[in-house]
């Protein structure tokens, strides 16, 4: 069978090295000729941010960071950047922090050097997201892609194991969704499979020895691959559902992705046998869902949306908002009833194997 596809690889510099974040950030600021640097980091990450930026002149430290990037939060950051005459942003933190830097770049064109402290992967995509009126809007714009990502596993050691697990499973969701997203192709599929392998190796190592760097390096590497695959393939069914749950119901990003993932996999895998086989092989398992569930059991992963505040009353609204956004290219047709069944199962943490049979 001949190959035919259209693949775009985003241009971005990646500097990877444990214990080298401050050195690499200083080198990038110098390379970019930055004179007025804005550091974006939440209060929780302030100590790490100070250490990471110790080698550069900082014009402004901005710590007004919020989950899902409310428009009002973005506007305040944009105004602060303009007032300070900023010419470079250095964001230190997880997806919310990176998302805020992207929101500023979206309207200003300011370059970003991203220093991730979680496994969110947002730093390697040109996807932005903003929330207004309980609705999360996402888009694609090359202006928001950080020019450089500085990965340093030592910065993730303080991330608790439970949050590391949720964040890493969010990365796994990027990988799995990439295999049937609208622009899926053999190149991003190869990156997604390697991302699954790296995360499935790194996350249990973090659980076994949280202060060791080897597992965290694998998780960061896997998170990067997951994001690159996602940026190329686009947003699939899983992400459309989770963006609604986050933006409309303010559920925590990583935990929501970690919880919903097995249900979308159970739904789509029977209709996408090649993707399912690739996922299974990446897990080293006979079956894609069994491989994911074995990993989730080992990690004591997030289990039910009810644990994060979602209720039965929200299912109808979630279905109404999410259903029109699910790509037509999804391998299996999605109806109101099937989407409601997925959300109901995720709400309670029901066995996804049961879900697969019920929806046949």
């Amino acid at each position: 069978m001949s190959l035919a596809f259209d693949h775009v690889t985003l241009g971005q510099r990646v500097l990877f090295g444990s214990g080298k974040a401050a050195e690499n950030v200083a080198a990038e600021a110098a390379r970019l000729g930055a004179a007025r640097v804005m550091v974006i980091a939440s209060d929780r990450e302030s100590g790490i941010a100070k250490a990471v930026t110790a080698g550069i002149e900082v014009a402004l430290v901005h710590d007004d960071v919020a989950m899902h990037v409310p428009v009002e939060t973005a506007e305040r950051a944009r105004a602060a950047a303009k007032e300070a005459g900023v010419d470079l942003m250095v964001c230190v933190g997880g997806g919310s922090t990176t998302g805020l830097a992207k929101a500023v770049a979206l309207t200003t064109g300011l370059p970003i050097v991203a220093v991730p402290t979680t496994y969110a992967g947002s730093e390697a995509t040109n996807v932005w997201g903003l929330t207004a009126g309980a609705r999360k809007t996402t888009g694609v714009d090359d202006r928001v892609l950080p020019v450089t990502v500085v990965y340093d596993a030592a910065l993730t050691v303080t991330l608790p194991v439970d949050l590391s697990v949720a964040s890493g499973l969010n990365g796994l969701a990027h990988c799995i969704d990439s295999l049937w997203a609208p622009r899926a192709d053999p190149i991003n599929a190869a990156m997604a499979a390697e991302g699954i392998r790296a995360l499935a190796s790194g996350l249990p190592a973090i659980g076994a020895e949280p202060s060791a760097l080897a597992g965290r390096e694998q998780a960061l590497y896997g998170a990067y691959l997951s994001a690159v695959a996602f940026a190329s393939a686009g947003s699939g069914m899983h992400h459309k559902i989770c963006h609604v749950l986050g933006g409309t119901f303010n559920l925590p990003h990583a935990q929501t992705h970690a919880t919903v993932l097995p249900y979308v996999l159970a739904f789509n895998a029977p209709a996408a046998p090649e993707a399912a086989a690739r996922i299974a092989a990446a897990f080293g398992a006979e079956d894609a869902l069994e491989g994911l569930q074995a990993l989730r059991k080992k990690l004591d992963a997030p289990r039910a949306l009810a644990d994060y505040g979602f209720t039965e009353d929200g299912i109808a609204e979630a279905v109404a908002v999410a259903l029109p956004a699910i790509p037509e290219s999804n391998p299996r047709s999605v109806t109101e009833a099937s989407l409601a069944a997925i959300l109901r199962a995720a709400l309670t943490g029901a066995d996804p194997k049961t879900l697969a049979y019920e929806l046949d």
Side-chain angles (χ1 to χ4, degrees):
M1 181 182 295
S2 63
L3 289 177
F5 56 89
D6 180 353
H7 178 85
V8 175
T9 299
L10 299 176
Q12 182 182 65
R13 190 175 193 190
V14 175
L15 300 175
F16 201 111
S18 296
K20 295 185 177 182
E23 172 188 339
N24 286 333
V25 167
E28 282 304 282
R31 183 179 73 85
L32 296 167
R36 304 283 297 173
V37 178
M38 176 182 186
V39 176
I40 300 179
S42 68
D43 282 339
R44 193 176 78 84
E45 305 284 9
S46 60
I48 293 176
K50 187 174 182 179
V52 164
T53 58
I56 62 175
E57 291 290 329
V58 176
L60 172 66
V61 176
H62 188 85
D63 62 4
D64 181 10
V65 176
M67 189 170 61
H68 304 302
V69 195
V71 168
E72 299 81 6
T73 303
E75 291 293 351
R76 289 193 292 270
R78 290 164 177 166
K82 181 178 181 180
E83 184 178 350
V86 168
D87 58 8
L88 174 68
M89 292 180 287
V90 176
C91 59
V92 182
S96 297
T97 303
T98 306
L100 180 59
K102 286 181 171 185
V104 176
L106 183 64
T107 57
T108 65
L110 286 170
I112 304 169
V113 172
V115 187
T117 60
T118 71
Y119 312 112
S122 175
E123 67 280 353
T125 78
N126 58 352
V127 178
W128 56 267
L130 290 166
T131 300
R135 293 290 184 270
K136 186 170 184 177
T137 301
T138 62
V140 175
D141 194 307
D142 285 347
R143 287 177 297 178
V144 310
L145 178 72
V147 296
T148 307
V149 185
V150 174
Y151 287 110
D152 184 341
L155 303 182
T156 70
V157 169
T158 58
L159 187 67
V161 170
D162 62 334
L163 294 181
S164 297
V165 166
S167 183
L169 289 173
N170 180 23
L172 266 176
H174 287 120
C175 294
I176 290 173
D177 224 22
S178 295
L179 291 169
W180 42 56
R183 298 187 304 276
D185 66 43
I187 296 175
N188 52 51
M191 289 187 288
E194 172 64 0
I196 293 170
R197 185 210 60 77
L199 286 160
S201 168
L203 293 176
I206 292 172
E209 198 171 353
S211 61
L213 293 180
R216 293 187 180 273
E217 287 179 341
Q218 282 295 304
L220 272 182
Y221 165 61
Y224 169 72
L225 290 173
S226 77
V228 174
F230 175 69
S232 172
S235 183
M237 175 182 177
H238 172 89
H239 281 78
K240 296 304 184 182
I241 293 171
C242 291
H243 285 164
V244 170
L245 294 174
T248 303
F249 301 95
N250 202 35
L251 302 190
H253 184 83
Q255 292 89 340
T256 299
H257 280 269
T259 302
V260 172
L261 180 58
Y263 301 100
V264 174
L265 179 57
F267 180 75
N268 273 343
E274 290 185 12
R278 188 182 285 266
I279 294 166
F283 279 124
E286 292 293 324
D287 176 83
L289 182 59
E290 288 179 4
L292 174 61
Q293 290 299 80
L295 177 65
R296 284 172 47 83
K297 183 177 180 180
K298 187 183 298 183
L299 298 174
D300 191 22
R303 191 185 66 86
L305 292 176
D307 295 335
Y308 305 102
F310 192 57
T311 65
E312 178 82 22
D313 293 343
I315 290 177
E317 182 179 3
V319 168
V321 179
L323 187 60
I326 294 174
E328 292 183 5
S329 60
N330 192 68
R332 191 172 182 179
S333 178
V334 186
T335 65
E336 289 186 7
S338 60
L339 184 51
I342 288 169
L343 289 171
R344 192 167 292 109
L347 171 67
T348 62
D351 185 352
K353 289 184 179 180
T354 304
L355 171 76
Y357 289 115
E358 286 178 349
L359 295 179
D360 280 346

